[in-house]
Every structure is written in C-alpha cells, then in structure tokens.
Amino acid sequence: MAKKDKTPGELLQDKLAFKPENSGNLMSDEEIAGAIAFCEDYKTFLDASKTERACSDWVITLLKKKGYKPFNPDKTYKPGDKVYLANRGKAVILAAIGKRPLADGVKILASHIDSPRVDLKQRPLYEEAQLAMFKTHYYGGIRKHQWVATPLALHGVIIKKDGKPVNVVIGEDAGDPVFVINDLLPHLAKDQDKRTLSEGIKGEELNVLVGSLPFKDDKASEKVKLNILRLLSEKYAIVEEDFLSAELCLVPAQKAKDVGLDRSMVGGYGHDDRVCAYTSLIASLETPTPDYTWVNVLADKEETGSEGNTGLASRFLENFILDLAGGQKTEGRRVFEASECLSADVNGAFDPTFPEVNDKKNCAYIGYGAVMSKYTGARGKAGTNDASAEFVGKIRRLFDQSGVHWQTAELGKVDMGGGGTVAKFISNLGADVVDIGVPVLSMHAPFEVVGKLDVYNTYKGFLAFISQK
Ligand code: MN
Ligand code: MN
C-alpha cells in the first residue's frame, strides 16, 4: 500500500510497532541464491563430520591447506599469523592474530561439534537367539524411540593392546552394510504402547543388530558372535578384548538432503551444532587479517554438559588465550575482561504441529534469520548466561548495520523445560557473551531440519562479529 493511502493509525504503527519479517521477503534474489549455494558446501561438510573426531579431522585438514600452523604456546605471534590447536582429536581452536593488541580483547566464536548419538558399551558384543548384537549407552539428550528402525553407521576408534589405533567407519559408503536398533511390530506392541513415550524404548533396549550367520563348527559356542569376531579380526586385526579401549558410536547413516519442494531447508544428522561450527568456520577463514584477534573454538562434550577435558567447562580455551596473552606480555584476565563472544549454538524452531510448547512472540521461526537468545537455562533463568542489554544492543546494531537478518527467541514457554549452551562457561571468564545460532526443527532427532536462509544469515552474523574494526 502506498504511503498516502495509509490511515494515521497505520502510519503510527509502521513507525512505532515492531513486526518481524521473514528474511525471504527481505533478501534479494542474488542473496537467496548465495544462501542456497552456501548450503551445498554445508551438506558436504555434514556428511563428512558425523562425529566430533571426524569433524575435527575435516577441519584440521582444511586449516592446514589454508596455511594455519599448529599453535606453539611459547611463541609470540604477530598480526596475520594463523594458528590452530587440536585437543585430543575431538575439539579444535583456530585463531588469527589481529592488528590490535590482545589487551583490546579477542572476538570468540564458540560452537560444539559433538551431537547426540548412541555409543557402544565397553563390552558391547553378545549373542542371543542366534543373533549377534551390540549393547549401547546413549550420548546426550536423545529421544530413544526416534533411533529405532533406522539405518545407522558405526564410527570411532579402537586402541589395541599394543597401543595402536584402528579407525572404524562402516555404513557411510554406498556399498557398506549398516546397523539397526529394532523395534516391536505393532501386532505385538499392546504392552509397549501403554508405556510413556520417554519409556517407549528404554536405554537397555537400544541394542544393535550386528549379524546372524554362524561360524561353521560343531563344537564352538556362540557361533554367530564368533563369526563377527572373525570378520572384525580379518578387517581390523582386533580381538574382542580390544573393545575395552574403544570409543565406538552409532550415528544415522543417511546423508544430508534438501527438504521441501522449494528446497529451502536442509535435513540431516547433527545440525546441532555443526551448523554453527560450519558457519563460524567459514566466517573465520574469510577473515585472515582481522583488526581484533579472533578465536574460534569447536568444542566437544556440550551435549553431556561440557564436562571433560575436551569440553568448555574445562580450561583448554582459557589456557589457549592465556598463552596468547603471555606471548604479548599481557595479563590474561585483562584480555578476557575486554573480550566478546558469540556462543554459537542452535535454538528450537517453532513447529506448527506442536505450537503449545512455545510462546509465539518469543520463539524462533524458520526463515526469520539467525536467532539471538539473550538467555537460555530453565525455570527462573537457572543455569544461564543472561547477556546484558548493553551487549545485546551492541550486537543488534552490528547485525543491523551489516545486513544480517536475525530474530530473538527463548527456548520454549516458561517452565516448559529448557536447555543450556557453552555461553555460561565463557562468560565466567569475564567476557561478554550472547547466544547466536540457527533455528532447528526436530532438534536431537536422527534427521534435524534447518532453513537455508537462516544458515546463511548466521554465517553473515559471525562474519560481521569477527570483522569488527
Ligand atoms: Mn547445541
Ligand atoms: Mn543439543
């Protein structure tokens, strides 16, 4: 409607009222094409990065190609230097040294590269009723009923008795077999149907089908299991005892795919949080000579609470920045106090099938851009970094000036549940932190969905953040 046709009330509304808009209405056709192209490469990354180990390997291979050097804590770095630190093959820090001194603070991007999955127990293999099976212990917040009757791939590492590692990936190549956790047939599910959904499949029922063919021998027992051990021995030169020192897990075997007739979304495993890992990584690689030093951490263990020496409740990020500061003869705590961080993690997207879990005015929508979450946590904002209005205001101005389409959201209705991110661990060091990420449908499911425009706007937001002058 032309401006002259509007009533005074409509004009006042335009001037005063806030009306969020789908970024699809705001972005140019060229920019939308750019977002779609960006997600083609993202799908390739997702397929190659289904575990934190695979993701870390993929990232480090790329960093080496781009001229990043292993971090030396005793060295004094100068502007334009690019370094990375690998933490046990499960987490990575990369950094580019800026023109400004570290005393001016660093710009931190912090995402996580672990995703919910199903781990094997340390004595996984058994035989029952002439079927070979694996016992498992799930990792992170999975809804167990979603992980049955779907093809799974086996990933991980086995450390043999002599200390040699064996890498395992089965189920990713077109010719590979896959694995599956079976469910009951509906005909005999009368009792199971009475269970609550969270108990529909119990933890000890997440047993994986591994084989059914017996080793031909009259005397040996558990011949199906024996045949599996024979195959593992032939392929990897391992014995059953080697599972004791293994980290093996099952992840969805399917590849990332476009979703919808308009191909506006990507479905795949592990968007949480590799979508933020990827967007922050690409933004970082495009900013090799920043004004402020940027530090990008791709962490492990977020899905189990960030505990452990590859998670952000540990000190590996803190120590990295302290070492950088030491190289410039700067007090580490001064660096943290002057630093800013975008905690790069996903938020839940509004699902019209389940509107009752969200406050429609304060939740994230597919297509409305990067999500800023001022706070996360549960109940009365417990367990959260609640970003200050001042810092939120600063990022708001930065995004608006940089043409980043973004929205604000909290995770669900008050008291509906909740969740946290790594934000609080970094704000505990003294930095200003706010959560920025991509809205996700079916979060933590084997096939999560994100919107391509949101992925692209999140990347643009991270780029604007680390390009600050
Ligand atoms: Mn996450
Ligand atoms: Mn998560």
Side-chain angles (χ1 to χ4, degrees):
M1 199 188 300
K3 201 170 175 182
K4 63 177 166 48
D5 299 327
K6 290 193 176 180
T7 66
E10 285 169 332
L11 288 170
L12 196 61
Q13 209 157 29
D14 287 352
K15 196 173 155 196
L16 299 182
F18 173 52
K19 192 169 167 287
E21 181 68 78
N22 190 314
S23 62
N25 294 329
L26 301 170
M27 292 166 70
S28 68
D29 290 345
E30 293 73 40
E31 215 179 0
I32 290 173
I36 289 166
F38 185 90
C39 287
E40 286 303 303
D41 291 337
Y42 171 53
K43 284 185 280 181
T44 307
F45 162 82
L46 261 191
D47 291 342
S49 304
K50 289 190 182 177
T51 65
E52 65 276 3
R53 285 178 189 272
C55 187
S56 166
D57 288 350
W58 191 94
V59 168
I60 288 171
T61 303
L62 181 63
L63 291 177
K64 285 179 181 165
K65 267 191 219 154
K66 299 279 182 184
Y68 284 71
K69 299 278 185 285
F71 180 62
N72 176 352
D74 299 320
K75 201 176 152 182
T76 297
Y77 286 100
K78 54 183 195 313
D81 284 346
K82 299 179 290 185
V83 295
Y84 71 91
L85 177 89
N87 185 353
R88 295 170 174 83
K90 299 179 176 192
V92 188
I93 300 175
L94 52 146
I97 310 305
K99 295 168 198 145
R100 289 170 177 261
L102 281 172
D104 288 356
V106 299
K107 306 298 176 200
I108 303 167
L109 292 172
S111 61
H112 66 93
I113 55 175
D114 62 317
S115 296
R117 60 176 192 245
V118 179
D119 286 348
L120 296 201
K121 292 190 184 186
Q122 294 324 118
R123 289 189 63 192
L125 185 61
Y126 68 101
E127 175 176 335
E128 187 87 50
Q130 308 268 300
L131 294 174
M133 311 283 286
F134 280 147
K135 290 300 294 180
T136 69
H137 194 138
Y138 65 98
Y139 173 98
I142 68 166
R143 305 191 72 205
K144 300 176 196 80
H145 67 277
Q146 296 176 337
W147 291 71
V148 297
T150 188
L152 300 169
L154 184 68
H155 285 250
V157 65
I158 302 165
I159 305 301
K160 298 204 289 185
K161 199 171 194 153
D162 62 5
K164 291 209 177 80
V166 179
N167 286 310
V168 175
V169 182
I170 305 171
E172 294 293 345
D173 287 339
D176 277 0
V178 294
F179 304 88
V180 67
I181 298 166
N182 292 306
D183 195 2
L184 266 180
L185 59 171
H187 317 69
L188 300 179
K190 187 167 69 69
D191 291 343
Q192 189 195 34
D193 285 347
K194 289 182 191 138
R195 300 183 190 176
T196 61
L197 191 55
S198 67
E199 289 271 295
I201 299 288
K202 297 177 184 173
E204 290 291 352
E205 292 171 344
L206 291 170
N207 300 321
V208 184
L209 191 56
V210 180
S212 67
L213 193 65
F215 181 81
K216 273 197 181 148
D217 183 289
D218 289 341
K219 293 212 174 123
S221 61
E222 298 195 316
K223 286 180 274 194
V224 177
K225 174 182 164 181
L226 183 62
N227 196 43
I228 295 297
L229 286 172
R230 177 185 67 82
L231 290 167
L232 288 170
S233 164
E234 284 173 11
K235 190 170 165 75
Y236 299 115
I238 59 162
V239 296
E240 186 179 10
E241 200 179 350
D242 290 327
F243 281 119
L244 295 177
S245 48
E247 283 182 352
L248 293 165
C249 67
L250 290 142
V251 296
Q254 95 277 316
K255 310 289 184 207
K257 291 271 190 190
D258 285 348
V259 171
L261 274 175
D262 59 6
R263 295 179 172 263
S264 61
M265 297 163 281
V266 178
Y269 165 64
H271 287 309
D272 177 10
D273 182 34
R274 293 185 200 110
V275 69
C276 293
Y278 183 76
T279 45
S280 71
L281 176 69
I282 299 304
S284 299
L285 295 179
E286 289 177 8
T287 317
T289 52
D291 271 29
Y292 292 92
T293 295
W294 58 249
V295 175
N296 184 345
V297 56
L298 312 175
D300 181 29
K301 294 281 183 280
E302 195 278 341
E303 294 295 355
T304 53
S306 294
E307 315 282 350
N309 56 15
T310 52
L312 278 177
S314 83
R315 293 205 155 149
F316 79 99
L317 173 67
E318 181 181 354
N319 289 341
F320 176 84
I321 293 176
L322 290 178
D323 285 338
L324 273 185
Q328 291 194 3
K329 308 268 184 294
T330 304
E331 282 280 352
R333 66 172 197 276
R334 300 264 154 73
V335 178
F336 289 119
E337 279 157 15
S339 290
E340 296 176 342
C341 169
L342 298 186
S343 164
D345 207 345
V346 299
N347 201 322
F350 179 81
D351 183 337
T353 307
F354 303 105
E356 65 279 5
V357 302
N358 279 302
D359 163 13
K360 284 187 185 176
K361 280 201 172 310
N362 288 282
C363 64
Y365 293 89
I366 295 284
Y368 279 65
V371 193
M372 182 190 294
S373 308
K374 185 175 180 295
Y375 46 85
T376 59
R379 304 181 305 283
K381 299 193 179 181
T384 182
N385 159 67
D386 193 346
S388 71
E390 288 84 352
F391 188 55
V392 169
K394 181 174 179 186
I395 300 302
R396 174 186 166 197
R397 286 193 299 281
L398 175 71
F399 282 7
D400 288 348
Q401 284 159 8
S402 310
V404 177
H405 301 294
W406 65 282
Q407 54 188 320
T408 191
E410 58 177 276
L411 182 63
K413 273 184 180 166
V414 177
D415 290 339
M416 183 57 75
T421 66
V422 301
K424 59 183 176 181
F425 303 113
I426 296 170
S427 58
N428 284 346
L429 298 171
D432 273 313
V433 188
V434 69
D435 278 287
I436 301 286
V438 176
V440 178
L441 288 165
S442 298
M443 196 197 292
H444 287 198
F447 195 74
E448 304 174 313
V449 176
V450 295
K452 291 182 180 177
L453 302 187
D454 304 326
V455 175
Y456 188 69
N457 276 296
T458 301
Y459 146 76
K460 278 184 66 179
F462 295 153
L463 189 61
F465 176 71
I466 60 170
S467 309
Q468 289 180 80
K469 300 290 179 203

